[in-house]
Amino acid sequence: MTIDLNSDLGEGFGAWRLGDDDALLTLVTSANVACGFHAGDPTVMRGACEEAARRGVAIGAQVGYRDLAGFGRRFIDVDPPELVNDVVYQIAALDGFARLAGTRVTYVKPHGALYNAIVHHEAQAAAVAEAVRRYDPSLAALGLPGSAWLRHAADAGLPCFQEAFADRAYTPQGTLVSRREPGAVLHDPDVIVARSLRMVTEGVVTAVDGTDVPVRADSLCVHGDTPGAVAIARRLRDELTRTGHGPRPFTTR
């Protein structure tokens, strides 16, 4: 099977830059671009879209809570109708810059605390799915296998794709270890590549307690703000290519 390689990009703001978007866009096949709520501003968003379009990289809207100070990593108890509007606003903003670049947003991937919340938070998961459906029901949903988000997205008629994380530790329940816990983010390229290939070929990942957890993935994520992200993405792309697993955008399947 072939698999997609995605990364979170466009996470700078004003004079502040995070990660190396230009380098990562030569390696990944899908770009989750921040939409201005947890990171990103109009200039950063437009630049990311233009470079992604030039490289033939699929553009996804990475929607999140309105939390610039916390980088979108703090849960916010947003009323579902308000969350619908927040998500529509973010998708539309990024899609406008994507269209100026001659392309369009093709999928939606929630960010940070929102991503983790809607694994189980039914009301917010339904709100995000409703926002995507109302904006454009052809947009794909990308998320954690078994999440409420993907279930509500499927119920809304959205194309759904499952994601695994190359550089994050997993719990025995198949969810991500909190970033507040030691070892939540992996940094060793050899470990990351080995576990990623195992996820692709065997459909399992070793959790923090040493047990194997089933994982089915259409896309692998390498976080753009992880130190050494470019080197990790390059190693991972080389190995996926060498072993005949792509990468290629999941939205083109």
Side-chain angles (χ1 to χ4, degrees), residues 60-76:
Q62 188 162 45
V63 299
Y65 293 126
R66 191 189 298 266
D67 182 27
L68 280 174
F71 198 61
R73 289 180 175 160
R74 301 179 292 191
F75 172 75
I76 300 178

Side-chain angles (χ1 to χ4, degrees), residues 27-242:
L27 301 168
V28 300
T29 46
S30 294
N32 321 310
V33 181
C35 301
F37 271 33
H38 77 275
D41 62 32
T43 299
V44 171
M45 291 162 66
R46 183 170 184 177
C49 286
E50 288 178 345
E51 186 63 15
R54 190 172 77 84
R55 296 283 183 181
V57 175
I59 296 174
Q62 188 162 45
V63 299
Y65 293 126
R66 191 189 298 266
D67 182 27
L68 280 174
F71 198 61
R73 289 180 175 160
R74 301 179 292 191
F75 172 75
I76 300 178
D77 191 13
V78 185
D79 287 339
E82 182 181 351
L83 185 57
V84 170
N85 294 335
D86 283 352
V87 173
V88 169
Y89 183 98
Q90 292 175 81
I91 299 170
L94 186 68
D95 195 37
F97 289 120
R99 290 175 185 272
L100 285 180
T103 184
R104 57 184 286 269
V105 168
T106 56
Y107 68 95
V108 173
K109 173 188 168 177
H111 166 81
L114 179 60
Y115 186 103
N116 291 324
I118 60 179
V119 171
H120 302 295
H121 197 302
E122 296 287 342
Q124 289 198 357
V128 177
E130 174 66 6
V132 179
R133 184 193 68 80
R134 295 192 65 153
Y135 182 79
D136 183 352
S138 73
L139 292 179
L142 181 63
L144 201 69
S147 61
W149 151 236
L150 288 188
R151 175 162 42 80
H152 282 286
D155 290 344
L158 306 176
C160 293
F161 296 88
Q162 299 178 103
E163 178 180 36
F165 290 82
D167 54 3
R168 290 293 305 275
Y170 277 79
T171 70
Q173 293 73 40
T175 57
L176 300 180
V177 173
S178 169
R179 284 181 176 267
R180 296 181 180 180
E181 299 294 328
V185 180
L186 308 178
H187 300 283
D188 187 328
D190 292 333
V191 171
I192 291 170
V193 169
R195 68 193 269 118
S196 296
L197 288 176
R198 192 162 181 241
M199 285 190 276
V200 174
T201 59
E202 300 179 35
V204 295
V205 64
T206 301
V208 289
D209 67 348
T211 60
D212 282 345
V213 178
V215 172
R216 181 171 178 264
D218 302 294
S219 183
L220 284 172
C221 177
V222 174
H223 284 91
D225 62 332
T226 297
V230 173
I232 291 168
R234 181 173 292 111
R235 280 281 308 279
L236 188 51
R237 183 185 177 101
D238 288 346
E239 284 302 302
L240 290 173
T241 301
R242 185 185 66 80

